[in-house]
Amino acid sequence: MEYNEMMRMSMHDKIKRILRHPLLTDRRVLLGLWTVLSLAGMLKLHRSHNNFLIFKGVFWHTVNGTSLYAAYPAEYDDVNHYGPLFSLIIAPFAVLPEWAGMLLWLLFLSGWLFAAVYWSGLRKSQQVYIYWFCGFTLLTALFMQQFNIAIAAIILSSFFLIEKEHEGWAAFFIVLGTLVKIYGIVGLAFFLFSRHKVRLAAWLAVWTVVLFLAPMAISSPGYIVGQYHEWFSCLVGKNTENIHSFAQNISLLGLVRRTTGSMDYSDLWLILPGMVLFALPYLRRRQYRYLAFRETLLASVLLFVILFSTGSEASGYIIALTGACIWYTAAPWKRGKWAAALMAFVFILSGMGNCDLFPKHIRHDYIQAYALRALPVSILWFWLCCELGFKDYAPNEKMTDHEQEDNRL
């Protein structure tokens, strides 16, 4: 028994030593890996790059003054669901040859998230954990050319810029995310953590005006105002469509609806209790002083935006998995075996649920059919909510920095 315990501890120490190897923790190596993943995303060129064609269309339809939300079957399948401001973000990539535009777009997306994590203020061990843990999910989003990668970066930037008292830039990212894909509005969840709330509110107002008007530089005022009206109507219709969509609503909402087989109820029966559960930790004002508490609330936001949205799709899980990593690494106490097992469950099912690791009939008939990718992150979010409600996030002074590093591995 004693011999087996020694062997187990020896193996554990070996694993930790491997994970601490300089090559695996060098952020230049990790940047190279993420760059390779971006290049791998080009495998979808001329095979499944419909999303990039839609994104290009946002720019050209804005320039030509045609509807951003109409169907253009001669150009691409499906329709655009992003706000008029997106026309300026995609502009540099839309004017290039298709292959060059798509390549730079993928590099831009992965580079934006990599930089957001790098400049976030998270400890290096947390950053490295995110880079490795989210790599496969990043590739899924890159194959779909999806802006969800940038949404994860925008939410992270909103939080950490408020932490660093750069309210003007924090407001910029909150408004940018909101006017492009609505999701960015969750950055307002960090408002109470700001030390300069009046300044933040003022900058929010300024950037709302500036970014609302910005697309008029390549179109006209009347056109842009009309497109914002169309966008709102489009989003309302899209929400109804998503409820019963096979590829969308991969969320807690979709999980409950599909597993119960019930269709005759409003999602508000789940959303409203979820919002209450999300908001309750804000009552613990004495915990605001602890960075670990604030980071865990950031994790809650990243998870909530996927779990309670009918628009959640496979590429959106880069947002949720980033939140899962922050939850696991932010705690000032030692994570146990159950937390490690849950993270393994998250990685396998939520992170890799649509890959060939699972037989096709399992992926199609169970994981996709019942939105099971939402199950691990749902469990994690409820666990997180319990911790935010009852745990003390005061730093554990008894643990050395080295021991805290071990806790994250």
Side-chain angles (χ1 to χ4, degrees), residues 311-348:
S312 296
E313 54 192 339
S315 65
Y317 273 74
I318 185 66
I319 302 172
L321 264 66
T322 302
C325 290
I326 293 173
W327 166 77
Y328 186 73
T329 60
W333 56 84
K334 187 174 179 61
R335 288 287 181 199
K337 294 180 180 179
W338 283 108
L342 178 56
M343 288 299 288
F345 189 31
V346 168
F347 182 80
I348 293 170

Side-chain angles (χ1 to χ4, degrees), residues 78-382:
D78 207 350
V79 295
N80 168 54
H81 297 106
Y82 288 2
L85 179 60
F86 186 68
S87 61
L88 295 182
I89 295 176
I90 196 64
F93 312 97
V95 298
L96 295 173
E98 193 171 287
W99 69 268
M102 180 169 160
L103 173 60
L104 292 178
W105 175 244
L106 298 181
L107 289 169
F108 170 71
L109 291 175
S110 59
W112 190 352
L113 181 54
F114 190 96
V117 173
Y118 181 82
W119 295 111
S120 64
L122 291 168
R123 294 183 307 278
K124 182 181 178 182
S125 60
Q126 291 178 287
Q127 295 176 20
V128 170
Y129 192 83
I130 291 172
Y131 291 142
W132 281 112
F133 193 90
C134 295
F136 191 89
T137 311
L138 172 70
L139 183 60
T140 298
L142 288 168
F143 278 148
M144 302 174 71
Q145 309 99 48
Q146 272 290 6
F147 193 69
N148 285 313
I149 303 168
I151 291 295
I154 285 171
I155 297 173
L156 283 175
S157 298
S158 302
F159 175 83
F160 286 106
L161 285 167
I162 288 175
E163 286 287 309
K164 297 173 183 178
E165 301 184 51
H166 298 313
E167 280 77 14
W169 285 111
F172 168 81
F173 282 109
I174 291 171
V175 175
L176 177 73
T178 303
L179 294 183
V180 169
K181 201 184 175 180
I182 295 297
Y183 280 7
I185 200 170
V186 299
L188 294 176
F190 314 131
F191 186 86
L192 292 179
F193 297 153
S194 173
R195 298 176 183 85
H196 311 284
K197 295 179 179 60
V198 174
R199 184 196 305 174
L200 178 57
W203 274 112
L204 285 168
V206 169
W207 282 119
T208 298
V209 173
V210 171
L211 294 180
F212 180 89
L213 298 176
M216 297 178 187
I218 59 172
S219 54
S220 67
Y223 169 80
I224 292 300
V225 172
Q227 290 309 295
Y228 272 108
H229 282 296
E230 274 196 50
W231 186 37
F232 178 77
S233 300
C234 173
L235 291 178
V236 172
K238 180 63 174 172
N239 180 66
T240 303
E241 178 185 324
N242 286 342
I243 291 175
H244 307 295
S245 171
F246 189 76
Q248 305 285 329
N249 206 10
I250 309 175
S251 62
L252 177 59
L253 306 179
L255 174 68
V256 173
R257 186 176 292 276
R258 296 181 195 183
T259 54
T260 60
S262 177
M263 298 293 175
D264 299 325
Y265 69 89
S266 170
D267 281 336
L268 289 176
W269 286 105
L270 294 173
I271 293 173
L272 292 178
M275 292 179 69
V276 171
L277 194 57
F278 172 81
L280 282 175
Y282 283 99
L283 299 177
R284 304 185 69 199
R285 296 186 63 86
R286 291 184 180 180
Q287 293 290 317
Y288 285 15
R289 73 188 77 173
Y290 303 129
L291 177 60
F293 179 83
R294 301 193 301 272
E295 286 185 355
T296 304
L297 215 150
L298 164 64
S300 180
V301 169
L302 290 164
L303 290 159
F304 185 92
V305 78
I306 296 301
L307 292 176
F308 291 90
S309 169
T310 61
S312 296
E313 54 192 339
S315 65
Y317 273 74
I318 185 66
I319 302 172
L321 264 66
T322 302
C325 290
I326 293 173
W327 166 77
Y328 186 73
T329 60
W333 56 84
K334 187 174 179 61
R335 288 287 181 199
K337 294 180 180 179
W338 283 108
L342 178 56
M343 288 299 288
F345 189 31
V346 168
F347 182 80
I348 293 170
L349 188 54
S350 297
M352 304 179 70
N354 68 331
C355 79
D356 292 337
L357 173 70
F358 298 94
K360 184 175 181 180
H361 76 279
I362 297 293
R363 292 200 314 270
H364 186 275
D365 298 341
Y366 295 96
I367 296 176
Q368 291 182 323
Y370 295 103
L372 292 181
R373 293 186 72 178
L375 178 60
V377 288
S378 297
I379 295 171
L380 190 151
W381 185 73
F382 286 118

